[in-house]
Amino acid sequence: MASSVEQFAPQLLDAIPSDDAGSVLNRALHVQRLGLVDYVPTWQLQEALMEATLAIKSQNRQAETSGAALAPTPNHLLLCEHPHTYTLGKSGKPEHLLLDDAALAAHQASFHRINRGGDITYHGPGQLVGYPILDLDNFRTDIHWYLRVLEEAVIRTLAEYGLQAGRIAGLTGVWLDWEAGAPNPRKICALGVKCSRWVTLHGFALNVNPDLSYFGHIVPCGIPDKAVTSLAQELGQAVSVPEVQERLLPHLFELLDAQNPAISPNAPSLAT
């Protein structure tokens, strides 16, 4: 069984750093490394964290009216892997999943319609998934800036492995051979987010060493003419998710200008 996220929920919901008490602006970031966890409970945890933040923001609006003190809103980052999972965003097309229910079961995969933007994507072991639940009022209220920050953190991480990654105009995510006219553009990291009152949900999925054959059962992100790759495939050698995770975090902290990040110990990854 994959490890349960419920055991992490209480400390996450309460994770407002004490040294920011009394301050409205809060750039502290609490990072929780969950290991291998099922998709739906992780989604539910994201939703719970978002709702808790939105509740504080509602209370602050009332406090502004009454002249009471405002409370800081928290910022979270969940890092994990998932068992084989396909998710379809609000703007996605169901026909981009090429497996029926029997075939999903045969591949030990699940399928979920979710509330992020974008089309269909795959999550699985060997993929580093990051779910930032940030109040962008603490950083910058610009969703395009936020997406570029996530992409840039991945681009800088890949550069540490000698890979020159970049962006393709009009497409979110991070690509190799991304320059105009390149013969074989390949997506290595997918992005899909939701934002409600400047609080973010969902995030990014970086292919470290997943089984890429699972991407063959979808039209990845609704883009039929471009390939998908992984860090391990590009390097021709094994790379661990925890290693990449630790390389990515400093870049994300720097780009967000996160203050006093608190990072939990690694959770055990328990495969089914």
Side-chain angles (χ1 to χ4, degrees):
M1 290 291 292
S3 56
S4 169
V5 298
E6 280 82 354
Q7 61 188 298
F8 305 110
Q11 66 220 57
L12 282 170
L13 288 169
D14 294 335
I16 300 176
S18 59
D19 59 356
D20 284 308
S23 172
V24 176
L25 183 66
N26 176 28
R27 287 189 173 176
L29 181 61
H30 185 262
V31 181
Q32 187 78 4
R33 298 179 285 196
L34 301 180
L36 180 65
V37 286
D38 290 329
Y39 184 83
V40 170
T42 312
W43 182 16
Q44 292 169 340
L45 177 54
Q46 290 184 71
E47 295 274 3
L49 293 171
M50 171 184 262
E51 289 304 317
T53 300
L54 291 174
I56 294 172
K57 298 188 80 163
S58 293
Q59 293 166 5
N60 281 343
R61 286 204 305 272
Q62 296 174 7
E64 285 179 333
T65 301
S66 64
L70 305 183
T73 51
N75 306 290
H76 304 283
L77 172 61
L78 310 181
L79 294 172
C80 65
E81 299 174 65
H82 291 306
H84 301 300
T85 307
Y86 295 105
T87 65
L88 183 69
K90 294 185 296 181
S91 58
K93 298 180 179 179
E95 59 267 27
H96 288 164
L97 174 64
L98 308 179
L99 301 176
D100 60 17
D101 289 345
L104 281 169
H107 286 85
Q108 298 183 316
S110 61
F111 170 68
H112 308 283
R113 296 173 183 266
I114 62 173
N115 58 352
R116 61 162 170 78
D119 206 283
I120 195 163
T121 195
Y122 163 76
H123 297 307
Q127 186 184 72
L128 173 57
V129 181
Y131 298 124
I133 302 94
L134 310 180
D135 182 2
L136 293 184
D137 273 323
N138 290 323
F139 300 95
R140 179 173 170 179
T141 52
D142 183 335
I143 193 65
H144 297 289
W145 168 85
Y146 170 63
L147 289 169
R148 302 297 83 79
V149 162
L150 297 183
E151 291 169 345
E152 185 64 24
V154 172
I155 289 169
R156 293 184 183 186
T157 302
L158 295 174
E160 293 192 23
Y161 291 92
L163 297 179
Q164 185 180 12
R167 304 172 179 87
I168 295 178
L171 301 175
T172 58
V174 177
W175 301 77
L176 301 177
D177 278 354
W178 50 274
E179 302 92 337
N184 183 28
R186 307 177 299 288
K187 177 175 269 192
I188 195 168
C189 180
L191 269 68
V193 303
K194 175 186 176 181
C195 189
S196 177
R197 286 166 45 200
W198 296 116
V199 180
T200 65
L201 200 69
H202 303 294
F204 63 88
L206 172 59
N207 297 330
V208 178
N209 59 2
D211 182 346
L212 293 176
S213 70
Y214 276 79
F215 286 98
H217 305 304
I218 61 173
V219 180
C221 301
I223 305 170
D225 61 342
K226 292 182 174 60
V228 176
T229 190
S230 69
L231 184 56
Q233 177 164 287
E234 296 296 325
L235 297 179
Q237 65 185 50
V239 187
S240 76
V241 169
E243 174 192 318
V244 177
Q245 175 180 272
E246 298 316 303
R247 290 191 179 216
L248 181 140
L249 280 173
H251 296 301
L252 194 56
F253 296 157
E254 180 182 2
L255 291 161
L256 288 171
D257 191 22
Q259 307 296 317
N260 302 317
I263 308 174
S264 72
N266 281 321
S269 293
L270 304 177
T272 53

